[in-house]
Amino acid sequence: MKSIGFIGLGLMGKPMAKNLLKAGFNLTVHSRSRGPVDELAALGARAAHSPREVAAAAEVVITIVPDSPDVEAVATGLEGILAGAKPGLIHIDMSTISPVATRRIAEIEKQAGVTLLDAPVSGGTVGAEAGTLSIMVGGDEAAFQACQEIFAAMGKRITYLGPSGAGQTTKACNQIMTAGIYAVMSEALVLAAKSGLDPAKVVEVLAGGAARCWALEVRAPKILKRELEPGFKAAMQYKDLNIVAETARAEGVPTPLTAVVRELYATLLVDGKGDLDSSSIVTVLEKLAGVEVRAKD
Amino acid sequence: MKSIGFIGLGLMGKPMAKNLLKAGFNLTVHSRSRGPVDELAALGARAAHSPREVAAAAEVVITIVPDSPDVEAVATGLEGILAGAKPGLIHIDMSTISPVATRRIAEIEKQAGVTLLDAPVSGGTVGAEAGTLSIMVGGDEAAFQACQEIFAAMGKRITYLGPSGAGQTTKACNQIMTAGIYAVMSEALVLAAKSGLDPAKVVEVLAGGAARCWALEVRAPKILKRELEPGFKAAMQYKDLNIVAETARAEGVPTPLTAVVRELYATLLVDGKGDLDSSSIVTVLEKLAGVEVRAKD
Amino acid sequence: MKSIGFIGLGLMGKPMAKNLLKAGFNLTVHSRSRGPVDELAALGARAAHSPREVAAAAEVVITIVPDSPDVEAVATGLEGILAGAKPGLIHIDMSTISPVATRRIAEIEKQAGVTLLDAPVSGGTVGAEAGTLSIMVGGDEAAFQACQEIFAAMGKRITYLGPSGAGQTTKACNQIMTAGIYAVMSEALVLAAKSGLDPAKVVEVLAGGAARCWALEVRAPKILKRELEPGFKAAMQYKDLNIVAETARAEGVPTPLTAVVRELYATLLVDGKGDLDSSSIVTVLEKLAGVEVRAKD
Amino acid sequence: MKSIGFIGLGLMGKPMAKNLLKAGFNLTVHSRSRGPVDELAALGARAAHSPREVAAAAEVVITIVPDSPDVEAVATGLEGILAGAKPGLIHIDMSTISPVATRRIAEIEKQAGVTLLDAPVSGGTVGAEAGTLSIMVGGDEAAFQACQEIFAAMGKRITYLGPSGAGQTTKACNQIMTAGIYAVMSEALVLAAKSGLDPAKVVEVLAGGAARCWALEVRAPKILKRELEPGFKAAMQYKDLNIVAETARAEGVPTPLTAVVRELYATLLVDGKGDLDSSSIVTVLEKLAGVEVRAKD
């Protein structure tokens, strides 16, 4: 059983690391804040003071941090993974970052004999805790095969999608759809509400036909009750839409709709709602139309 | 059992009329082209030469024709429904038209003692044939109750949504979502394809998470095989998006995304693809990006 | 010198009619409100009780009313122009309406021997009073030639653009640009303001280069002083953008930007600002960004 | 008279450097390609092998290179400006880059006693050669004052706009407007052409009213003759629109229109037209509508 390093014990990372412990892996952990490190240590993980130290102790290092610059710092910083890595190390980055950045980091790590897999996830904290995440993997296929057991401890749908960046690009495609669907659903719900319809009935009717989607089934009922706590934070969705923009630019793909969706999320953040659920984009459309989407009594 | 009139035996109307016959209703039919009238007559319907004649013979008249001016002509023309209607007639318009036009026609018919229900459907020709349409009803609730058996012969989910226009407005909300989801899905698939990913794998991964929707499940696999025959024609979707625009304007609801979606459908029609399925909007995004979304071998 | 009928003595129509009187034309006038009719009568015009009566007394009838349905009512209503017209009458419609409606009305009038010229104007009330309007004319060229003197009494740049609807289509093109320029200027000014720059300096710099435009020169300085009275009302601009949408649809021209501009104007009207100047679209962008564009002291 | 270093002898930089020589400045130059360096040397400049060498010889170093990473490399690279700079050096960066990057570089240079002014220009190669550029300056005001003579040798409108980044932000505002105006003008011209109007007449009419702008006056006539050579390259405009996106994100300013404009430019680059003039965005709209904007004979 491989010895694993784990860097980034946030809302997602902590339960993922716990699942690795449960699966019997030997774990060395590091995170910016002390609390979750102690929590994992109490469960049997070894605490390390830096990514360098984590890398020195592991055959596989997992990172899950906020954005591209964080991954770059953790990988290539003075006290970073490369500073401690032995040739042959596999680095699985499970953050959602730009595939362009992923490929740049992979290139640098390759010089040091380290193999980078990009493996962003979807499924939220619920999926992280239950070990049912979807994991989208890009990079060297042999390295992917070698890490199957590790992925299986954290997720359920584990898909190999191609060379370095392929996992991140797939995640970008996913975010185009999840954000876009929320936005078009919001326009529909706001039209329903301002027209005097009962949005709850409209949701029910629409969910029964070609408009059927996860957002209508899971999130629309919460919107009607004004339950907008995350789930997945709007600020992260906005960050991801900027990754989409960078990716689309790099690949030469015009995305006129996603461009507008991103500006709506920018408006949501200006409104100070970045910590609400991504579905709270509905409040931007509500503000434009001067109406609130609520179930009628 | 009520005697029913049926006007408009097109791709949707013909199978709907047949289901009414099967359910034992006494049917008088009229349509612009002779063929389907004869077909229904052979099954036991009475053929009429005009909407006026249909109305004269019926307690309930159903119309399902292409657009608002068609409904207006059928209702208020020289040989129209009002010319033949006895007071107390119920007119069920199952066309998809503007709720603004619906309310205008309802007002006129009311003067003549005719009650208009708006009852647009979703579910396509498949649902029309199987008698499993979703029917969204607006107008007088007592009239709706009086027509329950009739609706039950044609559809499965039958929902009363409120006063005149409420059915059409709900359909407009539905079209915002179906068109919008196709468009954002297209941006995702085109990004996947141009990035060198296998779109089939991406569809599979996305359909397993928060991007899950009818479009990914039912239409994306057809797109990957370039099966773009309708289903629901792009030209009708574009017509419906113009109804959305008129409705949103009347209600005072800004719809920045749907506005862009509509322009993409306008482009599709310029490209001569109005007779393809509504999901063929993907070809507009493909043209912008210079790539085709196909499953890899 | 021809005897002229004039229908519609609003903010634009009244000064235009006065200029015709000054030029020595024999004028019969009609308008919905009594005040301006009396005012013109005091200056020597003959007052009529209906468009029919106006038409009966004139060789040329000018109309300038709010929208397509108004022109249709004035032309084809029971007491309309056609009810009083002698064959050979020229009808000059100077309203801004849809070229699609224009061609429909022209077709009807032709049956009655009446020739319709579409001749929308730009230049605002200032231009109407000074007799310096730009006039964009479509329709029969001989009729246009026959009316040169009449146009010359009201405007300065008088351009014949082609067959029926050509004047209205040109006006639609004009409105695409005036509204679009206001909207992009607003994005620039809001970015400047929120970045802490002095918008007045930015306006000055931008007006000196390739961004130079009437909007920056004439309207931006007023915005900086929060002078948002019309000029040209935002509600009329929104009406015109809906004419653009109808025209673009009829001609098969996708307009992705103007579609978004229209939704921003829809938002402005929701905010209750339809009576402000069209340039007040800046307030919508200000609201999105949470900042106000003002000159620094 | 100060001794000046000049790095980046491209289409803009070379004529700017020549104007500095003409004005009597002592010039040390460096560029990636040898040709222009020799050309300047023949006119009396001293050739240097690296930014470091340029900085060592100068009191003021001017840079004008393509994008943020280029400025960063020239400033902070191993053979960069900071490697050769004496404390007190003023670095004038006349490239168009992100104000975010500008402030980051300014911070780094400050540590080394170097003062960065951001001073992007507009006016194109024509303005560069004639010494009539508009120069938008941000950074320390005393440094700006100290460089007045230098700016005067290259430009005509020289405006100090505020602290570090203010020049770049102003340039970003300018690019929002220039690109946006081209795009809305394109929609207007395409509608005119597809409607069968003579676009040349429409341009003339529109340029006489509230749509008047530099683009209509200078570029539209060239479009009508299909003269699409730059001027200012579309690929640079696209780069600048990405700077706008980064700036707007940093400042919290939603820009729904500019977002769509950028996607249209992305389409133009996919079409392989990045080396045409920025006004060739009209070809994207032409492709969407299936028509070409040309003057009628």
Side-chain angles (χ1 to χ4, degrees):
Chain A
M1 195 56 93
K2 292 202 176 69
S3 66
I4 300 182
F6 201 105
I7 297 167
L9 300 170
L11 285 175
M12 294 295 289
K14 196 173 72 175
M16 290 162 70
K18 284 183 182 174
N19 282 327
L20 288 167
L21 278 180
K22 265 185 238 162
F25 288 100
N26 190 351
L27 211 62
T28 304
V29 301
H30 174 72
S31 199
R32 268 198 274 193
S33 46
R34 191 70 220 173
V37 172
D38 290 345
E39 197 177 331
L40 266 291
L43 295 170
R46 191 183 144 233
H49 294 91
S50 66
R52 182 180 61 73
E53 212 181 302
V54 170
E59 293 157 275
V60 172
V61 175
I62 294 169
T63 51
I64 180 158
V65 292
D67 207 348
S68 311
D70 306 294
V71 179
E72 297 203 73
V74 161
T76 68
L78 273 181
E79 288 291 305
I81 291 169
L82 293 186
K86 287 161 294 230
L89 183 78
I90 296 176
H91 172 193
I92 305 175
D93 179 37
M94 304 185 80
S95 320
T96 294
I97 67 168
S98 153
V100 178
T102 289
R103 285 190 284 263
R104 192 169 57 227
I105 299 168
E107 205 52 52
I108 294 167
E109 296 198 340
K110 203 177 174 185
Q111 314 293 322
V114 172
T115 302
L116 179 67
L117 294 174
D118 50 305
V121 302
S122 74
T125 49
V126 172
E129 282 157 18
T132 58
L133 294 168
S134 287
I135 310 180
M136 298 155 249
V137 190
D140 181 72
E141 193 162 6
F144 167 70
Q145 294 300 349
C147 297
Q148 290 275 26
E149 272 178 287
I150 297 171
F151 287 126
M154 297 181 287
K156 229 169 52 173
R157 291 170 176 268
I158 297 140
T159 314
Y160 177 75
L161 289 140
S164 188
Q168 296 294 356
T169 304
T170 303
K171 181 74 188 284
C173 294
N174 188 69
Q175 300 308 73
I176 287 174
M177 286 199 71
T178 55
I181 290 175
Y182 277 146
V184 299
M185 181 175 83
S186 297
E187 291 197 353
L189 295 181
V190 166
L191 178 58
K194 197 156 183 193
S195 302
L197 301 177
D198 180 351
K201 277 194 198 161
V202 173
V203 166
E204 200 192 319
V205 171
L206 269 52
R212 176 166 58 76
C213 56
W214 184 91
L216 266 178
E217 288 168 5
V218 176
R219 278 287 158 187
K222 291 179 191 281
I223 288 171
L224 296 175
K225 291 181 278 182
R226 310 311 290 177
E227 294 175 8
L228 299 175
E229 317 78 59
F232 181 64
K233 285 187 183 179
M236 296 302 280
Q237 184 70 281
Y238 180 60
K239 183 210 77 170
D240 289 358
L241 290 173
N242 281 285
I243 290 172
V244 168
E246 186 179 345
T247 310
R249 183 186 181 186
E251 300 291 350
V253 176
T255 56
L257 284 172
T258 306
V260 177
V261 173
R262 189 174 56 247
E263 298 306 316
L264 295 176
Y265 273 95
T267 306
L268 187 65
L269 267 64
V270 172
D271 289 347
K273 295 182 175 165
D275 285 337
L276 296 183
D277 186 66
S278 176
S279 60
S280 63
I281 189 68
V282 70
T283 64
V284 172
L285 280 308
E286 289 176 327
K287 193 173 70 162
L288 295 184
V291 74
E292 202 173 66
V293 177
R294 269 184 193 284
K296 290 194 173 182
D297 301 324
Chain B
M1 194 58 91
K2 292 202 176 66
S3 68
I4 300 181
F6 202 105
I7 298 166
L9 300 171
L11 285 176
M12 294 296 289
K14 196 174 71 176
M16 290 161 72
K18 286 184 183 174
N19 282 327
L20 287 167
L21 278 179
K22 265 186 238 162
F25 287 100
N26 190 351
L27 211 62
T28 304
V29 301
H30 174 71
S31 199
R32 268 199 275 194
S33 45
R34 192 70 222 170
V37 173
D38 291 344
E39 196 177 333
L40 267 290
L43 295 170
R46 192 184 143 232
H49 294 92
S50 67
R52 184 181 57 75
E53 211 180 304
V54 170
E59 294 157 275
V60 172
V61 174
I62 295 168
T63 51
I64 181 158
V65 292
D67 206 348
S68 311
D70 306 295
V71 179
E72 297 203 72
V74 160
T76 68
L78 273 182
E79 289 290 306
I81 291 169
L82 292 186
K86 288 162 295 235
L89 183 78
I90 296 175
H91 172 193
I92 306 174
D93 179 36
M94 305 186 80
S95 320
T96 293
I97 68 168
S98 153
V100 178
T102 288
R103 285 189 286 261
R104 192 168 57 227
I105 299 167
E107 206 51 53
I108 294 167
E109 298 198 340
K110 204 179 173 182
Q111 314 293 324
V114 173
T115 302
L116 179 67
L117 294 174
D118 49 304
V121 302
S122 73
T125 50
V126 171
E129 282 157 17
T132 58
L133 293 168
S134 287
I135 309 181
M136 298 156 250
V137 189
D140 181 71
E141 193 163 6
F144 167 70
Q145 295 299 347
C147 297
Q148 291 276 25
E149 272 178 285
I150 296 170
F151 288 127
M154 297 181 287
K156 228 169 51 173
R157 291 170 175 268
I158 296 140
T159 314
Y160 177 75
L161 289 138
S164 188
Q168 296 295 355
T169 305
T170 304
K171 181 74 189 284
C173 294
N174 189 67
Q175 300 308 73
I176 288 174
M177 285 199 71
T178 54
I181 290 174
Y182 277 147
V184 298
M185 181 175 83
S186 296
E187 292 195 354
L189 294 182
V190 166
L191 178 57
K194 195 153 183 194
S195 301
L197 299 178
D198 181 350
K201 275 194 198 163
V202 172
V203 166
E204 198 192 320
V205 171
L206 267 53
R212 176 167 58 76
C213 56
W214 185 90
L216 265 178
E217 287 168 5
V218 176
R219 277 288 158 186
K222 290 179 191 283
I223 288 171
L224 296 176
K225 290 182 279 183
R226 311 309 290 176
E227 293 176 7
L228 299 176
E229 315 80 56
F232 181 64
K233 285 188 184 178
M236 296 302 280
Q237 184 71 279
Y238 180 60
K239 183 210 76 168
D240 290 358
L241 290 173
N242 282 284
I243 290 171
V244 167
E246 187 180 344
T247 311
R249 183 187 181 186
E251 300 291 350
V253 175
T255 54
L257 284 173
T258 307
V260 177
V261 172
R262 189 175 54 249
E263 299 306 317
L264 295 176
Y265 274 95
T267 306
L268 188 64
L269 267 64
V270 172
D271 289 348
K273 296 183 174 164
D275 285 337
L276 295 185
D277 187 67
S278 176
S279 61
S280 63
I281 189 67
V282 69
T283 64
V284 173
L285 280 307
E286 288 176 327
K287 192 173 72 161
L288 295 184
V291 74
E292 202 172 68
V293 176
R294 271 184 191 283
K296 291 196 172 181
D297 303 322
Chain C
M1 194 58 91
K2 292 203 176 65
S3 68
I4 300 181
F6 202 105
I7 297 166
L9 300 170
L11 285 176
M12 294 295 289
K14 195 173 73 174
M16 290 162 70
K18 286 184 181 173
N19 282 327
L20 287 167
L21 278 180
K22 264 185 240 162
F25 286 100
N26 191 351
L27 211 61
T28 304
V29 301
H30 175 71
S31 198
R32 269 198 274 194
S33 47
R34 191 71 221 172
V37 172
D38 291 344
E39 196 177 334
L40 267 290
L43 295 169
R46 191 184 144 231
H49 294 92
S50 67
R52 184 181 57 74
E53 212 182 301
V54 170
E59 293 157 277
V60 172
V61 174
I62 294 169
T63 51
I64 181 158
V65 293
D67 206 348
S68 312
D70 306 294
V71 178
E72 297 204 73
V74 161
T76 68
L78 273 181
E79 289 291 305
I81 292 170
L82 291 186
K86 288 163 294 234
L89 183 80
I90 296 175
H91 173 193
I92 306 175
D93 179 36
M94 305 186 80
S95 320
T96 293
I97 68 168
S98 153
V100 179
T102 289
R103 284 188 286 260
R104 192 169 56 226
I105 299 167
E107 204 52 52
I108 294 167
E109 297 198 339
K110 204 180 173 183
Q111 314 293 324
V114 173
T115 302
L116 179 67
L117 294 175
D118 50 305
V121 302
S122 74
T125 49
V126 172
E129 282 157 18
T132 57
L133 292 168
S134 288
I135 309 179
M136 298 156 250
V137 189
D140 181 71
E141 193 163 6
F144 167 71
Q145 295 299 348
C147 297
Q148 291 276 24
E149 271 177 287
I150 296 171
F151 287 127
M154 297 181 287
K156 229 169 52 175
R157 290 169 175 269
I158 296 140
T159 314
Y160 176 76
L161 288 138
S164 188
Q168 296 295 356
T169 304
T170 303
K171 182 74 188 285
C173 294
N174 189 68
Q175 299 308 72
I176 288 174
M177 286 199 71
T178 55
I181 290 175
Y182 277 146
V184 299
M185 181 175 83
S186 297
E187 291 196 354
L189 294 182
V190 166
L191 178 57
K194 195 153 183 193
S195 301
L197 300 177
D198 182 350
K201 275 194 198 162
V202 172
V203 166
E204 198 192 319
V205 170
L206 268 52
R212 176 167 57 77
C213 56
W214 185 91
L216 266 178
E217 287 168 5
V218 176
R219 278 288 157 186
K222 291 179 192 281
I223 288 172
L224 295 176
K225 290 181 279 182
R226 311 309 291 176
E227 293 176 7
L228 299 176
E229 316 80 59
F232 180 65
K233 283 188 184 178
M236 297 302 280
Q237 184 70 278
Y238 180 60
K239 184 210 75 169
D240 290 359
L241 290 173
N242 281 285
I243 290 172
V244 168
E246 187 180 343
T247 311
R249 183 186 180 187
E251 299 291 350
V253 176
T255 55
L257 284 172
T258 306
V260 177
V261 173
R262 189 174 54 249
E263 299 306 317
L264 295 175
Y265 273 96
T267 306
L268 188 65
L269 266 65
V270 172
D271 289 349
K273 297 184 174 164
D275 285 337
L276 296 184
D277 187 67
S278 175
S279 61
S280 63
I281 190 66
V282 69
T283 64
V284 173
L285 280 308
E286 288 176 328
K287 193 173 73 162
L288 295 184
V291 74
E292 203 173 67
V293 176
R294 271 183 191 283
K296 290 196 173 181
D297 302 322
Chain D
M1 197 53 97
K2 291 202 177 68
S3 67
I4 300 182
F6 202 105
I7 298 166
L9 300 170
L11 284 175
M12 293 296 288
K14 196 174 73 176
M16 290 162 72
K18 285 183 182 173
N19 281 327
L20 288 167
L21 278 179
K22 265 186 237 160
F25 287 101
N26 189 349
L27 211 62
T28 304
V29 301
H30 174 73
S31 199
R32 269 199 273 194
S33 47
R34 192 70 220 173
V37 173
D38 291 344
E39 197 177 331
L40 267 290
L43 295 168
R46 193 184 142 232
H49 294 92
S50 68
R52 182 180 61 74
E53 211 181 304
V54 170
E59 293 157 274
V60 172
V61 174
I62 294 168
T63 51
I64 182 159
V65 293
D67 206 348
S68 311
D70 306 294
V71 179
E72 297 202 73
V74 160
T76 67
L78 273 181
E79 289 291 305
I81 292 169
L82 292 185
K86 286 160 295 229
L89 183 79
I90 296 175
H91 172 194
I92 305 175
D93 178 37
M94 304 186 81
S95 321
T96 293
I97 68 168
S98 154
V100 179
T102 289
R103 284 189 285 261
R104 193 169 56 227
I105 298 168
E107 205 52 51
I108 294 167
E109 297 198 338
K110 203 178 173 185
Q111 314 293 325
V114 172
T115 301
L116 179 67
L117 294 175
D118 50 305
V121 301
S122 73
T125 49
V126 172
E129 281 157 19
T132 58
L133 293 168
S134 287
I135 310 180
M136 298 156 249
V137 189
D140 181 71
E141 192 163 6
F144 166 71
Q145 296 299 349
C147 297
Q148 290 276 27
E149 271 178 288
I150 296 170
F151 287 126
M154 297 182 286
K156 228 169 51 175
R157 289 169 176 268
I158 296 141
T159 314
Y160 177 76
L161 288 139
S164 188
Q168 296 294 355
T169 304
T170 303
K171 181 74 188 285
C173 294
N174 188 68
Q175 300 308 73
I176 287 174
M177 286 200 69
T178 54
I181 290 175
Y182 278 145
V184 298
M185 182 174 83
S186 297
E187 292 197 352
L189 295 182
V190 166
L191 178 57
K194 195 153 183 194
S195 301
L197 300 177
D198 181 349
K201 277 194 199 162
V202 172
V203 166
E204 199 191 320
V205 171
L206 268 52
R212 175 167 57 76
C213 57
W214 185 90
L216 265 178
E217 288 169 4
V218 176
R219 277 289 158 186
K222 290 179 192 282
I223 287 171
L224 296 175
K225 291 181 278 182
R226 311 310 290 176
E227 294 175 7
L228 299 175
E229 317 79 57
F232 180 64
K233 284 188 183 179
M236 296 303 279
Q237 184 70 280
Y238 180 61
K239 183 210 78 169
D240 289 359
L241 290 173
N242 282 286
I243 290 171
V244 168
E246 186 179 345
T247 310
R249 183 187 181 185
E251 299 292 349
V253 176
T255 55
L257 284 172
T258 306
V260 178
V261 173
R262 188 175 55 249
E263 298 307 317
L264 295 175
Y265 274 96
T267 306
L268 187 65
L269 267 64
V270 171
D271 290 347
K273 295 182 175 165
D275 285 338
L276 296 184
D277 187 66
S278 176
S279 61
S280 62
I281 190 67
V282 70
T283 63
V284 173
L285 279 309
E286 289 177 327
K287 193 173 70 161
L288 296 184
V291 73
E292 202 172 67
V293 177
R294 271 183 191 283
K296 290 195 172 181
D297 302 323

